[in-house]
Each structure stands twice: as structure tokens, then as C-alpha cells.
Amino acid sequence: MRTLIALLACLLTLASARAEPVEATPRIAVLSAYEPEWKALQAVVEAPQAQTYKGVNVVLGRIEGKPVVLGLTGVSMVNAAMTTQMILDRYNVTRIVVTGVAGGVDPSLNIGDVAVPERWGEYLDMILARETPAGYQLPAWAERDFANFGMIFPQNVEVVRAGQDGPKPQFWFPADEAMLAVAHKAEGVALQNCTTATVNVCLLHKPKVVVGGQGVSGSAFVDHAGFRSYVFDTFKARVLDMETAAIGHVAATNNVPYIAFRSLSDLAGGGPGENQIEIFEQLAADNSVSVMRAFLKALPD
């Protein structure tokens, strides 16, 4: 019995230790998913201190005078959620800011534009319906809150909360209203319209910042004109990506405010030729960081 009690005490001590942040300074978590975004972030961080934990790259420092912890989440919803929770557990995070690229969905937006949606949804939590002679057939318990795209029927996420009487369905995860209000102050930021690669490519339009509207996220890279139109018609989304709604989900679970800055690297299949992400991903990542920096500069301490 004494051995069991000692073991339980040891486990409780370890659990308590894991719950304590490894660094107490209040910081804004600034998260990006992959190399072009990470490169753009590291170019602007002041006094960087690089760290790793379980293979995840983390950098402590300051951006526009604000203490930050940068995190490289990796691409996809699972990577984004896992890394976000890890950073929340290990650091004293007061806010979450996402910066990076996205596929454009809203026909009024162009490559290089920066969207700052007011809410994000996990649009690829879905049922792949049974095909019958009478059409697609869903299980009796399935939801029909959104139009389908062929056999794809989007469903709400089952969200678990402490003190809640069982999981509750939820689709949209709202960004923080106070941070969105500050984001409007970055709408006049000058954005790049030419790449800085060996061969320069310039956009024919002047990129802009758009605050508001909706974004969606799921574990699929979209390069399909028909599906792009469906996403705009069904969810009124301005952009889509593979991480932000998962980060918003984790933020909501932990009661930490979040906001996301996403610049269009491609049109998710809406362009006339091949997907252009490899041409414009660095330009888009840099534009997103430019707006994020203006936001942090305007953000009250």
C-alpha cells in the first residue's frame, strides 16, 4: 500500500510539474505552419532564443516590442492542434496570433491580399455518404446544416468542454473581437506585389488587407475550381487553409483569445492555369507578416 501511495504521489508531482510553464514571461504565441512562413517570421523577431521540444521548433523573442513565442506547427489540423496545445502548456501565453498563407475562395480577393477573418470553421469534418439509386443516403443521426458537395456532407464538430454536459456540436470558432478591432488599424499597410526570387514575378494588382468575413480549415490542399465555388457559396468563406480552425478550437478550449492573418498564395483552383503557390508562397507569407507586425505594434500592452 505504501509503495502504491508513493507511486501515486510521484505521478501527481510529475503531472503538476508538467502543468507549470517552463518560462513565466507573458507572451503572445505567433504560429506558422511551414518553411516560407517560418522564414518570414524569423526575419522580424528581435533577440531570438531558439528552442526545441519533441522536435518542434520554438523561438522566444520580441516583435514590435511585444514578447512573443514563435511556434512552427507543421502543416495539417492535427499538427496545428498538437503544437498549439504544447505551447499553451509550456509557456505563459496571453494571446494567439496565426500568420501564413491560404488559398483564396472569395472571388473578390486576389493573390497577395491578406484576409483577417472574424471566425473559422472546420469544414471537412464530414460524412462520406452512401450512394443509392435514389441518391446519397445519410445515417439517420447525421446533420444537414450545410449543402453537400457530391458525397461530402459537412458536419459540426463535437466539442468537449470542462463542466459541460457531454460534447456539444459547434462549427464556427470566433476570433477575438478586441484583436479584430486592432487589426483594422493595419488595413493601410503597404504590401509586396513582386516576388524576390531569382526570377521576379509581379502581380498586376495592388494587394490589400481585408478584415472580417469567414475562413475554413481542413486536412486537404484544395486545387479544384468546382469545390472552391462550393466552399464560397456554402460557407461564405474568404480563404481556406489547413490549420487555423484547429488552432481556434484549441484556443477556445483553453479560453485564450486568437486571431489569424492569412495571405493568398493561390486561388485554390480558381486560376486559369496551374496552381501558383510555389511562385507566390513567400510573397504571401511576407505580406501576412507585414500586417501581423502592424497589428502587434498597434496592440495595447
Side-chain angles (χ1 to χ4, degrees):
M1 177 62 73
R2 288 180 180 176
T3 302
L4 178 59
I5 292 172
L7 178 59
L8 289 172
C10 180
L11 290 173
L12 288 171
T13 300
L14 288 172
S16 176
R18 282 195 297 270
E20 291 295 324
V22 298
E23 202 260 358
T25 303
R27 295 183 183 274
I28 299 169
V30 182
L31 307 178
S32 61
Y34 80 129
E35 187 60 30
E37 301 165 348
W38 189 240
K39 179 181 175 181
L41 266 183
Q42 296 207 74
V44 302
V45 66
E46 307 153 17
Q49 303 172 45
Q51 302 180 358
T52 59
Y53 180 70
K54 295 186 177 180
V56 175
N57 290 324
V58 176
V59 174
L60 304 183
R62 302 178 78 86
I63 297 178
E64 298 297 334
K66 304 296 195 299
V68 296
V69 50
L70 311 184
L72 180 61
T73 66
V75 175
S76 89
M77 303 286 276
V78 173
N79 279 331
M82 176 182 68
T83 304
T84 302
Q85 187 62 60
M86 183 200 80
I87 288 175
L88 292 177
D89 288 343
R90 289 179 58 79
Y91 300 94
N92 185 9
V93 174
T94 58
R95 301 177 176 98
I96 297 172
V97 174
V98 183
T99 179
V101 308
V105 177
D106 186 336
S108 71
L109 298 183
N110 295 297
I111 289 174
D113 291 349
V114 179
V116 192
E118 61 194 36
R119 58 181 185 167
W120 288 79
E122 298 177 55
Y123 77 126
L124 291 183
D125 271 54
M126 60 183 143
I127 292 175
L128 302 183
R130 179 183 302 227
E131 192 168 7
T132 74
Y136 293 109
Q137 180 181 330
L138 286 174
W141 46 263
E143 301 161 350
R144 294 179 179 267
D145 292 349
F146 300 100
N148 62 300
F149 184 81
M151 67 177 179
I152 298 173
F153 286 77
Q155 302 292 295
N156 289 307
V157 180
E158 292 293 310
V159 176
V160 178
R161 293 280 190 278
Q164 184 174 277
D165 184 20
K168 301 293 184 184
Q170 182 173 340
F171 188 84
W172 297 109
F173 293 87
D176 182 67
E177 291 185 4
M179 289 201 287
L180 282 167
V182 176
H184 281 287
K185 298 180 181 180
E187 287 179 314
V189 171
L191 300 175
Q192 297 180 31
N193 73 324
C194 292
T195 66
T196 56
T198 305
V199 178
N200 286 3
V201 179
C202 292
L203 300 166
L204 299 178
H205 59 273
K206 181 180 179 181
K208 61 183 180 293
V209 181
V210 181
V211 179
Q214 298 166 169
V216 292
S217 307
S219 291
F221 182 86
V222 176
D223 192 31
H224 188 284
F227 190 72
R228 175 184 189 256
S229 296
Y230 159 77
V231 172
F232 178 69
D233 293 340
T234 303
F235 306 104
K236 301 300 183 286
R238 284 184 159 161
V239 292
L240 56 78
D241 68 19
M242 299 174 68
E243 297 87 23
T244 301
I247 294 171
H249 189 153
V250 173
T253 299
N254 288 272
N255 197 31
V256 176
Y258 89 102
I259 192 171
F261 300 86
R262 289 291 190 176
S263 181
L264 278 63
S265 58
D266 64 279
L267 299 179
E274 293 185 11
N275 190 284
Q276 295 178 295
I277 186 171
E278 291 189 326
I279 299 172
F280 293 110
E281 61 185 0
Q282 194 62 63
L283 178 148
D286 291 342
N287 279 353
S288 179
V289 164
S290 293
V291 179
M292 182 273 298
R293 287 183 69 183
F295 163 80
L296 288 183
K297 186 175 182 177
L299 189 68
D301 292 330

